[in-house]
């Protein structure tokens, strides 16, 4: 039987790289700066030029390849996959803790990505050829479109891919340890890096987001990812009724 004490040692944040809050502040400042720049008319020409280039260089084969790959950034399937993996790791490790990261990621993304999209009120590049059939000059404007179609900034696909693949990269090593399998560092790096890069490129190439939408999604996703990875999931205090299911899953097998 595990020995328990009435006093819990201080909870320490997990390390992130680069270390320190300065990088988080830099990401936030870059996101705010990009939003202000767009609101004052900067980078709109760049967005239009990239979208026009993509429209002119999108043969059918490339379109379908990009469309299939873009599914890597679908928020709902990623949420369900991360939740399922958290439950599986929790069952194998006899702990409730592996479920906490997917729950926290879901709450954090819901409270940030969606509200920012509604607040920024920006249409997608395709808004000129499908409802609401805006003039091309209007589609690129931020804080401009009035209606449910103006939810392009920041890119939810890009932000979600960074957050959710970060959670998968957190849970996958824990699952492999319960199976007594080695945890290849290159595999974890690939899980964290490749899907977001693919989603960033495809969502812009398909004309579903402006280039700066994807950049904003990248900045926001990295910021949320760092916040989630700072949490010491093995040490977060749990209610008394869950004390028999609070085994660590990151620091131990």
């Amino acid at each position: 039987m595990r020995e328990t004490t009435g006093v819990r040692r201080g909870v320490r944040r997990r390390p992130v790289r680069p270390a320190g809050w300065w990088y988080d502040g830099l990401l936030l400042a870059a996101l705010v700066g990009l939003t202000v720049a767009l609101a004052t008319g900067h980078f709109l020409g760049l967005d239009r030029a990239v979208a026009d280039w993509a429209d002119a260089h999108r043969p059918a084969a490339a379109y379908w390849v990009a469309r299939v790959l873009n599914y890597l950034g679908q928020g709902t399937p990623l949420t369900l996959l991360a939740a399922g993996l958290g439950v599986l790791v929790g069952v194998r490790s006899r702990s409730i803790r592996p479920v906490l990261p997917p729950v926290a990621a879901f709450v954090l993304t819901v409270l940030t990505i969606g509200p920012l999209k509604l607040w920024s009120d920006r249409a997608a590049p395709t808004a000129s050829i499908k409802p609401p059939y805006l003039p091309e000059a209007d589609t690129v404007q931020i804080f401009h479109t009035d209606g449910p179609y103006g939810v392009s900034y920041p890119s939810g696909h890009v932000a979600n891919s960074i957050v959710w693949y970060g959670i998968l990269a957190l849970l996958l090593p824990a699952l492999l340890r319960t199976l007594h399998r080695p945890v290849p560092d290159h595999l974890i790096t690939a899980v964290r890096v490749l899907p977001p890069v693919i989603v960033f490129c495809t969502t812009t190439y398909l004309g579903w987001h402006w280039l700066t939408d994807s950049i904003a999604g990248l900045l926001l996703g990295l910021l949320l990812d760092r916040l989630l990875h700072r949490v010491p999931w093995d040490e977060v205090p749990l209610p008394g009724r869950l004390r028999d299911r609070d085994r660590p899953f990151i620091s131990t097998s």
Side-chain angles (χ1 to χ4, degrees), residues 92-162:
R92 294 194 60 84
S93 60
R94 290 177 293 175
S95 173
I96 193 66
R97 292 187 178 278
V99 181
L100 301 180
V103 171
F106 176 77
V107 172
L108 194 57
T109 53
V110 167
L111 293 178
T112 55
I113 298 174
L116 282 174
K117 283 176 169 289
L118 294 175
W119 173 70
S120 61
D121 202 16
R122 192 188 201 190
T126 54
S128 62
I129 59 175
K130 61 174 65 174
Y133 297 106
L134 296 174
E136 284 193 1
D138 292 345
T139 58
V140 75
Q141 299 293 329
I142 195 171
F143 305 123
H144 181 76
T145 305
D146 184 17
Y149 203 72
V151 289
S152 185
Y153 182 92
S155 168
H157 272 62
V158 175
N160 274 317
S161 66
I162 294 173

Side-chain angles (χ1 to χ4, degrees), residues 4-128:
T4 58
T5 61
V7 179
R8 192 180 186 93
R9 62 188 178 86
V11 177
R12 295 176 299 175
R13 291 191 300 269
R14 295 178 64 233
V16 293
R17 292 184 297 177
W21 290 96
W22 66 270
Y23 192 74
D24 304 67
L26 184 62
L27 291 171
L28 180 59
L31 178 59
V32 172
L34 177 60
T35 305
V36 172
L38 291 171
T40 54
H42 295 82
F43 302 129
L44 302 184
L46 173 63
D47 275 334
R48 184 77 264 173
V50 171
D52 290 343
W53 181 92
D55 286 341
H57 298 82
R58 196 185 299 128
Y63 168 83
W64 284 108
V65 170
R67 181 161 184 170
V68 170
L69 291 175
N70 193 255
Y71 280 109
L72 290 170
Q74 291 281 52
T76 299
L78 286 175
T79 303
L80 296 176
L81 178 60
L85 185 57
V87 170
L88 178 59
V89 174
V91 170
R92 294 194 60 84
S93 60
R94 290 177 293 175
S95 173
I96 193 66
R97 292 187 178 278
V99 181
L100 301 180
V103 171
F106 176 77
V107 172
L108 194 57
T109 53
V110 167
L111 293 178
T112 55
I113 298 174
L116 282 174
K117 283 176 169 289
L118 294 175
W119 173 70
S120 61
D121 202 16
R122 192 188 201 190
T126 54
S128 62

Side-chain angles (χ1 to χ4, degrees), residues 2 6 30 32 45 75 84 91 107 113-114 116 121 129 140 170 176 191 194 205 208 213-214 220 228 245:
R2 247 187 339 172
V32 172
V91 170
V107 172
I113 298 174
L116 282 174
D121 202 16
I129 59 175
V140 75
L170 181 70
L176 292 176
V191 170
L194 290 182
Y205 176 68
W208 294 350
D213 295 343
S214 297
L220 178 60
L228 289 167
R245 292 284 181 178

Side-chain angles (χ1 to χ4, degrees), residues 152-226:
S152 185
Y153 182 92
S155 168
H157 272 62
V158 175
N160 274 317
S161 66
I162 294 173
V163 169
W164 287 113
Y165 285 103
I167 295 297
L168 293 176
L170 181 70
L171 294 171
L172 185 57
L175 176 62
L176 292 176
R177 283 193 294 269
T178 67
L179 299 171
H180 306 291
R181 300 289 181 85
V183 182
D185 290 339
H186 64 275
L187 173 62
I188 305 306
T189 300
V191 170
R192 286 183 60 85
V193 174
L194 290 182
V197 169
I198 291 172
V199 171
F200 182 101
C201 294
T202 56
T203 199
T204 306
Y205 176 68
L206 290 167
W208 294 350
H209 282 286
W210 302 102
L211 174 62
T212 51
D213 295 343
S214 297
I215 293 174
L218 174 67
L219 296 171
L220 178 60
L222 289 173
L223 178 60
L224 299 181
D225 177 76
R226 286 174 62 84

